[in-house]
Amino acid sequence: MDSLEHAGPRNYGFKLPLYRKNNSAKHRRRQDGQDSTAGNSSDVTVQASNEFAYLTRIKAADQEFTVTIDTASSDLWLASEDCQLDVCQSIPLYKNSTSLYATNEPFKLEYLSGGVAGQVSYETIRFGRFEITSQVFGLVSNFSGIDVASSGSSGILGLAFPKPAAISAKNGPTILENIMNSIPAGSRYFGFMGGRGSDAGSFTVGQLDDAVVTNRTLLRTQVQANPDGSYDYWKLPLRSIVINNQTLPLSSTRKISNSPGGLPVAVLDTGTTLILGPQEDVDLLYSVVRTARKRSKDGNDLSANSTERGTWEVDCTELIELKLQFVLSGPTSTTDGASTDFWIDPLDMSWDGIKSPDGQYCLGGIQGNDNVVSGDWLLGDAALRNIYVAHYVATGDQLPNLALLNVTDKDLAMAAFTMIRGLPTFPLNSTIPILNRSNTIGARKQSVPEHHAARRQQITILVLATVISFIIGLGAVLIIMIRKERRNWARMHGFQGPIIRGKRIKPRKTRRFWIRS
């Protein structure tokens, strides 16, 4: 029912525009049991959060739209002109064209905080260099509890495997399937990395981004399959999380029974802002963060082992060192000397866009959620701004796999954090406990070497040394420029003798007289 034409040169790889937008309404499907903020076990509200969405452009018929990139859902859907709700008044809406074929089959996606509904339809979709005729998609006319207007997105571009799709496979392939099946086997992948600040990031299809990966080696590993051998999300086993030089004892997987060694499984999810994990593990993680506090919806402090829903906050000036390590598996797995440590920028560990009323505390970049069913951990944008990921679909006898690259330099990131957030506003001589399952946020009497304080002092010294070196270098350049200008001035006025401290002297071996003007 669908066909695809290549609309450009026979170079199948292309780079797509990527936009980073503020977004206060990021959601995850109800079948995953959670939303992108912190789900049922956290109070990070979608209305109060200053989150970000990553968007790209597509065309439906001759109409252009920006859509949210979501690697943890599979459907393409667009908001229809038939939507009469207020939420639809400030975004571009799809207008029925002569090439549209709308069925009577309902399209419905349920979210924890609402949902979307409409019709299963077919339209000509332009994606990068490809034009797909009769691409199946959801034409949405009804929104419930979802504010898509905050980011300006007119829909969602799902890039997960077909299995989780709301639109049945009998209606046709997903947009990712259509693209991948129409390019050579060696190019059947897409790359993504979230950006920060003015850098939106990177989104490519059929090629790697040379600006990111040139002369760098990517780790290759197989995508974690389900027990029945099927694939649904881009996920892989999580070997360890190291925070402030201590290894977090992770809970065994509760979702994927065939995970190697029972290790927890992490899902790569561009549609989620934070990093989400089991509540017990997240509470333990924050037990070694000096200023961490768990707050209730009413703003009251909670103990780490409290069963009441809460949100983790940290002092905005506390530098948190955290790295992820994954299990590399399958016949295509290789390191080739590449680093297996994936450092998370400390700016992603505390979000200054969401602060306490006094402005001292920031939202923690990791939150607890026990209701995720797609995996044990969700690695959202807080992780994917630090990892470049190439997603390879199955080709022939090669199973789906991932190529990963750590793009965050730990020392540079920590130095930048200190320059942006400033020096700590809390005492550095307090002790932190040793990580173990008996820890709670109130039990902070066990002492470990003050690695974190020493590291912060090293970073502070590094920043000061850098600033002093810059000032000295700038001063030297100015002195050289001033001397050069003086010589040029002397030559322009006919003076040929040397100048010492602004006074002209008689040159040697000459009978001329120097006369001051």
Side-chain angles (χ1 to χ4, degrees):
M1 196 169 200
D2 52 68
S3 63
L4 183 147
E5 297 180 359
H6 188 270
R10 301 301 291 179
N11 175 15
Y12 290 94
F14 55 92
K15 187 172 184 178
L16 290 133
L18 188 63
Y19 308 94
R20 181 173 180 259
K21 300 287 187 180
N22 288 343
N23 180 27
S24 63
K26 300 181 76 175
H27 302 269
R28 178 64 51 232
R29 291 194 55 184
R30 178 171 288 171
Q31 71 173 43
D32 285 349
Q34 49 81 35
D35 67 15
S36 69
T37 52
N40 283 340
S41 53
S42 175
D43 285 313
V44 186
T45 62
V46 293
Q47 291 82 9
S49 60
N50 180 25
E51 299 174 342
F52 295 93
Y54 292 95
L55 296 82
T56 191
R57 290 178 181 170
I58 65 169
K59 277 190 174 182
D62 59 348
Q63 306 167 55
E64 187 172 74
F65 301 98
T66 56
V67 290
T68 302
I69 300 170
D70 187 3
T71 57
S73 69
S74 307
D75 299 288
L76 168 67
W77 62 261
L78 293 171
S80 166
E81 65 177 343
D82 294 332
C83 177
Q84 302 300 315
L85 303 174
D86 291 342
V87 69
C88 295
Q89 302 309 307
S90 58
I91 60 172
L93 301 175
Y94 169 83
K95 297 178 174 57
N96 294 356
S97 73
T98 56
S99 55
L100 172 70
Y101 175 70
T103 72
N104 292 323
E105 183 173 346
F107 171 77
K108 189 175 183 180
L109 279 174
E110 292 293 333
Y111 298 89
L112 286 174
S113 56
V116 297
Q119 295 173 288
V120 174
S121 303
Y122 298 86
E123 180 59 282
T124 298
I125 302 294
R126 178 73 179 262
F127 178 70
R129 294 178 176 176
F130 290 93
E131 186 174 88
I132 311 166
T133 59
S134 297
Q135 171 64 54
V136 65
F137 75 111
L139 190 55
V140 172
S141 56
N142 187 31
F143 293 82
S144 175
I146 294 178
D147 178 17
V148 293
S150 57
S151 67
S153 173
S154 296
I156 286 181
L157 173 67
L159 296 177
F161 294 91
K163 186 175 181 177
I167 299 176
S168 172
K170 67 180 177 62
N171 290 312
T174 66
I175 189 170
L176 181 63
E177 287 181 290
N178 275 328
I179 293 292
M180 294 295 135
N181 291 336
S182 302
I183 58 180
S187 298
R188 292 178 185 173
Y189 62 91
F190 67 93
F192 180 87
M193 180 184 70
R196 68 179 74 250
S198 60
D199 177 16
S202 173
F203 182 36
T204 59
V205 174
Q207 69 180 39
L208 300 177
D209 190 336
D210 291 338
V212 179
V213 304
T214 299
N215 299 322
R216 305 176 76 176
T217 302
L218 280 70
L219 299 177
R220 291 292 289 271
T221 186
Q222 201 166 288
V223 175
Q224 175 65 48
N226 295 316
D228 62 1
S230 65
Y231 294 89
D232 46 15
Y233 302 101
W234 299 100
K235 57 192 180 187
L236 69 169
L238 184 61
R239 181 184 298 280
S240 66
I241 296 177
V242 180
I243 178 168
N244 294 339
N245 211 34
Q246 298 191 69
T247 300
L248 179 70
L250 298 172
S251 301
S252 299
T253 181
R254 303 170 186 173
K255 313 294 182 183
I256 313 298
S257 61
N258 62 327
S259 172
L263 290 171
V265 172
V267 177
L268 308 181
D269 183 2
T270 60
T272 292
T273 297
L274 306 176
I275 298 173
L276 305 180
Q279 189 70 59
E280 181 183 3
D281 290 4
V282 172
D283 289 347
L284 181 60
L285 180 147
Y286 280 109
S287 72
V288 294
V289 178
R290 277 188 190 80
T291 63
R293 67 183 188 185
K294 192 178 183 182
R295 305 282 280 179
S296 70
K297 185 176 182 180
D298 298 326
N300 299 318
D301 288 336
L302 302 173
S303 65
N305 57 358
S306 171
T307 58
E308 184 177 346
R309 292 161 54 181
T311 300
W312 282 105
E313 300 175 342
V314 297
D315 188 290
C316 296
T317 62
E318 178 162 11
L319 189 154
I320 302 173
E321 293 184 40
L322 186 135
K323 68 179 179 181
L324 307 174
Q325 295 178 321
F326 303 104
V327 174
L328 305 181
S329 61
T332 60
S333 66
T334 178
T335 61
D336 293 332
S339 172
T340 57
D341 295 334
F342 292 86
W343 290 97
I344 305 301
D345 193 307
L347 290 171
D348 293 318
M349 291 302 299
S350 63
W351 287 62
D352 63 355
I354 310 174
K355 292 184 178 181
S356 59
D358 61 5
Q360 181 180 352
Y361 280 81
C362 290
L363 175 70
I366 300 179
Q367 296 292 333
N369 189 308
D370 288 329
N371 299 307
V372 180
V373 298
S374 56
D376 300 287
W377 289 79
L378 284 184
L379 303 185
D381 300 334
L384 297 179
R385 277 194 292 275
N386 302 278
I387 307 172
Y388 179 85
V389 184
H391 309 69
Y392 290 79
V393 302
T395 56
D397 59 353
Q398 178 175 292
L399 297 174
N401 62 97
L402 296 161
L404 310 172
L405 176 66
N406 175 33
V407 297
T408 296
D409 183 289
K410 177 186 68 172
D411 292 331
L412 292 179
M414 289 192 291
F417 179 90
T418 300
M419 294 185 71
I420 294 171
R421 298 286 180 86
L423 297 177
T425 58
F426 56 91
L428 286 175
N429 58 357
S430 58
T431 60
I432 54 177
I434 298 171
L435 269 175
N436 61 68
R437 285 285 168 191
S438 63
N439 282 356
T440 66
I441 199 66
R444 293 179 179 272
K445 296 181 180 179
Q446 301 180 59
S447 178
V448 297
E450 289 296 307
H451 164 81
H452 189 63
R455 190 62 178 164
R456 189 60 177 268
Q457 291 170 358
Q458 292 173 5
I459 295 300
T460 302
I461 293 172
L462 175 62
V463 171
L464 292 175
T466 301
V467 172
I468 292 172
S469 298
F470 175 78
I471 293 173
I472 293 174
L474 181 62
V477 170
L478 290 174
I479 291 172
I480 293 172
M481 292 177 63
I482 291 170
R483 289 180 175 177
K484 185 176 179 180
E485 286 299 318
R486 286 177 175 174
R487 293 190 185 98
N488 290 338
W489 183 88
R491 294 190 186 99
M492 290 176 61
H493 291 76
F495 300 122
Q496 298 179 4
I499 299 176
I500 297 180
R501 295 184 181 177
K503 296 182 179 180
R504 214 160 293 287
I505 65 172
K506 179 179 178 182
R508 296 179 181 179
K509 299 182 180 180
T510 179
R511 295 182 178 178
R512 296 182 179 178
F513 292 96
W514 292 92
I515 303 175
R516 296 182 184 274
S517 58

